[in-house]
């Protein structure tokens, strides 16, 4: 059936010319326009300055906690996950070969003011605890990771990433809380039966910090023997 085409028979009216503005000169209009152009960047600058003021931090924004206490907190957080995973081995401090041997180490990092600066906060630091086990089979790792994911969700953590069987030989689980200031991570490598975990703490200020101290607080500390809690130990 041929397409039906309808053509309008009336001619559209020609629009009337716009009236000439009265009561305001072109210069006045231009002046108002300039005021708007000036006001918008000014508001953006004021908003930007306010944002910098909000995100930049100093020592008063962090609790005062000794590095030894923060190491203990990090290890305790790792031990909680270790229990849920069902591991029972005890790991001595240190690591012989990263990614191959067992590991039980701690480290520390500087804390920064934020905003557009890369300045560190005097005396502020965060602690991380890393641990790893070799000879971890799929029968141990897979159900353990699933239990741990559920446990973290049930105890107030946000699961930021959970991936099963990535590329056929890699699983991972990442979670955070306290607006991302506290984080945990776990990976299992099926090709070498290797399981790794880690915990990082929120920032704190070392009460013993002195001007001139170069390394972040806690950088020289070692963890205790790491393993299951007493109630789950064997």
């Amino acid at each position: 059936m041929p397409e039906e085409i309808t053509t309008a028979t009336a001619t559209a009216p020609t629009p009337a010319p716009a009236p000439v503005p009265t009561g305001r000169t072109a210069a006045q209009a231009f002046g108002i326009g300039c005021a708007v152009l000036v006001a918008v960047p000014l508001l953006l600058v004021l908003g930007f300055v306010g944002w910098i003021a909000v995100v930049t931090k100093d020592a008063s924004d962090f609790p005062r906690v000794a590095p030894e206490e923060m190491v203990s907190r990090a290890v305790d957080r790792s031990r909680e996950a270790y229990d849920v995973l069902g591991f029972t081995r005890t790991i001595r401090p240190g690591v012989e070969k990263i990614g191959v041997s067992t590991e039980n180490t701690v480290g520390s990092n500087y804390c920064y003011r934020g905003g557009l600066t890369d300045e560190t906060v005097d005396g502020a630091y965060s602690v991380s605890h890393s641990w790893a086990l070799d000879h971890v089979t799929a029968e141990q790792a897979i159900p353990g990771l699933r239990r741990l994911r559920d446990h973290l969700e049930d105890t107030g953590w946000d699961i930021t990433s959970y991936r099963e069987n990535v590329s056929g030989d890699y699983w991972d689980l990442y979670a955070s809380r306290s607006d991302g200031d506290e984080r945990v991570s776990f990976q299992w490598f099926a090709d070498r039966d290797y399981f790794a975990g880690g915990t990082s703490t929120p920032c704190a200020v070392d009460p013993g910090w002195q001007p001139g101290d170069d390394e972040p607080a806690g950088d020289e500390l070692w963890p205790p023997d790491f393993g299951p809690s007493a109630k789950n130990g064997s």
Side-chain angles (χ1 to χ4, degrees):
M1 184 176 190
E3 181 180 1
E4 181 180 346
I5 300 175
T6 303
T7 303
T9 58
T11 303
T14 303
V20 177
T22 60
R24 187 179 64 176
T25 66
Q28 288 173 323
F30 180 75
I32 294 174
C34 286
V36 172
L37 292 176
V38 171
V40 171
L42 181 59
L43 289 175
L44 292 176
V45 168
L46 292 175
F48 182 72
V49 170
W51 176 77
I52 292 293
V54 168
V55 300
T56 53
K57 300 179 179 180
D58 57 33
S60 64
D61 292 307
F62 306 120
R64 294 172 61 83
V65 184
E68 293 81 2
E69 173 62 23
M70 293 302 286
V71 167
S72 178
R73 293 183 189 182
V75 172
D76 286 346
R77 183 68 63 217
S78 291
R79 184 173 288 115
E80 179 183 348
Y82 202 78
D83 286 344
V84 175
L85 288 162
F87 297 138
T88 59
R89 294 160 59 186
T90 298
I91 312 171
R92 299 282 295 173
V95 57
E96 293 182 7
K97 191 172 182 180
I98 294 177
V100 177
S101 66
T102 60
E103 180 179 359
N104 174 21
T105 59
V106 294
S108 63
N109 298 287
Y110 292 108
C111 294
Y112 294 86
R113 287 176 53 78
L116 293 183
T117 75
D118 58 357
E119 299 175 0
T120 59
V121 177
D122 289 344
Y125 68 101
S126 65
V127 166
S128 60
H129 176 239
S130 300
W131 59 269
L133 284 174
D134 52 2
H135 308 300
V136 177
T137 65
E139 290 75 17
Q140 293 175 291
I142 293 174
L145 275 169
R146 289 171 174 165
R147 283 196 308 273
L148 183 56
R149 176 196 57 189
D150 294 341
H151 172 78
L152 291 171
E153 287 181 331
D154 291 343
T155 53
W157 291 79
D158 296 321
I159 305 300
T160 56
S161 176
Y162 177 71
R163 299 185 296 173
E164 297 187 353
N165 203 29
V166 181
S167 302
D169 60 3
Y170 176 69
W171 293 49
D172 68 33
L173 169 61
Y174 295 86
S176 67
R177 66 181 182 183
S178 302
D179 294 328
D181 289 338
E182 188 174 7
R183 298 178 298 277
V184 291
S185 63
F186 309 91
Q187 303 87 35
W188 178 63
F189 303 88
D191 59 337
R192 47 199 162 102
D193 290 345
Y194 192 76
F195 197 104
T199 300
S200 64
T201 69
C203 290
V205 170
D206 178 13
W209 180 85
Q210 298 292 331
D213 289 349
D214 293 330
E215 300 298 327
D219 194 54
E220 76 288 351
L221 297 178
W222 281 75
D225 288 355
F226 177 71
S229 61
K231 65 179 181 180
N232 291 325
S234 60

